[in-house]
Amino acid sequence: MLDLTTRGNFARHRRLRQSAGVRRLVQETRLSVADFVYPLFVTHGRGVRDEISSMPGQYQISLDQIGREAAELKALGVPAVLLFGLPASKDARGSEAYDDAGIVQDAVRAFKDAVPELVVITDVCLCEYTDHGHCGLIVDGEVDNDESIELLAHTALSHARAGADIVAPSDMMDGRVGAIRETLDDAGFVQTPIMAYSAKYASAFYGPFRVAADSAPQFGDRRGYQMDPPNAREALLEIQDDIEEGADIVMVKPALPYLDVLAKARQEFDVPLAAYNVSGEYAMVKAAAANGWIDGRRSTLEILTSIKRAGADIIITYHAKEAAAWLREDGA
Ligand code: PBG
């Protein structure tokens, strides 16, 4: 019998690659602006719009700039922001993190006033607010787990009170998702979702962020609480526990060195899955593109597509605004 699909002993895979139209028709993964969350650093002061040197195109902005920022995101169709704050002062207990008049709390209100439909997600952590730069409370020279989760829960509650749509704990203390869920529920915020940084690795790729957020640890490192890069099965345990404690969305972070973890998580769990394309990943692309070593636009879209292909429903990325504009140009 005549085999209609092949001539000789090989398949003609190139048939479906002949034109942009056909390629688009058979495309398995479609990147969309609807996938993006844009991380943003807010700071005290007026008229502040300071570019972060290791993250070209990213800024620390003051509250008065938020109206403009929100309008820009709305025009581009970027659906969500993830807020980080730079406090007026730091102390051992990270007090401004859970101050109802803190910088993030004010920024949440400003975003919700400017564009109510923009989804405002807040990073819940202490490292930007503590003078020692660790993500929790120090007791006897160690980051104390159980003391820390109480402050983290207060922080999440304060963000919810300010109007945050989603709270996102990034500290990697054990039991914090459960503590936050209970605290939110007790205060009547049963409808506030938790996006947990569940599989967050102790990564070298956070370097530019720690400058941008002024959150580098002043002694030691974060290996006692963030995950060890060689471990993938452990990531699934972390995710499982966070879901059981009440996480509505789980996250793998960073994205690119952990695409395998992302793919495994996608297979294993049915809750929405986020990936954080972190500051160091962004900085590498920008540096190489500035040197003319890679095509910045094509490599960015390829990277973001790979994160989606690996299984992410939500991509947190500093590229969100430029990628939104490129996708629109491409008619995607
Ligand atoms: C806070 C936090 C960090 C990032 C997000 N939340 C830094 C860290 O854990 O040191 C990193 C984000 C990035 O690199 O873009 N704990």
Side-chain angles (χ1 to χ4, degrees), residues 104-171:
V104 160
Q105 290 81 352
D106 279 346
V108 169
R109 287 183 281 265
F111 267 108
K112 295 310 290 185
D113 277 351
V115 177
E117 68 270 28
L118 188 74
V119 177
V120 177
I121 310 173
T122 54
D123 184 87
V124 175
C125 197
L126 299 183
C127 64
E128 296 115 86
Y129 304 90
T130 51
D131 50 15
H132 46 73
H134 277 288
C135 302
L137 209 60
I138 306 291
V139 179
D140 298 332
E142 296 282 339
V143 178
D144 187 282
N145 193 84
D146 300 17
E147 296 275 336
S148 299
I149 60 179
E150 200 170 321
L151 294 185
L152 290 159
H154 286 156
T155 303
L157 176 58
S158 171
H159 292 176
R161 257 192 235 126
D165 294 296
I166 300 177
V167 292
S170 69
D171 52 283

Side-chain angles (χ1 to χ4, degrees), residues 84 123 125 127-128 135 170-171 197 200 205-206 209-210 215 222 226 253 276-280 318:
F84 297 93
D123 184 87
C125 197
C127 64
E128 296 115 86
C135 302
S170 69
D171 52 283
Y197 287 69
K200 177 175 177 179
F205 291 94
Y206 307 150
F209 172 96
R210 290 185 188 167
S215 67
R222 304 212 203 288
Q226 297 181 346
K253 177 188 173 186
Y276 200 140
N277 177 218
V278 301
S279 58
Y318 303 97

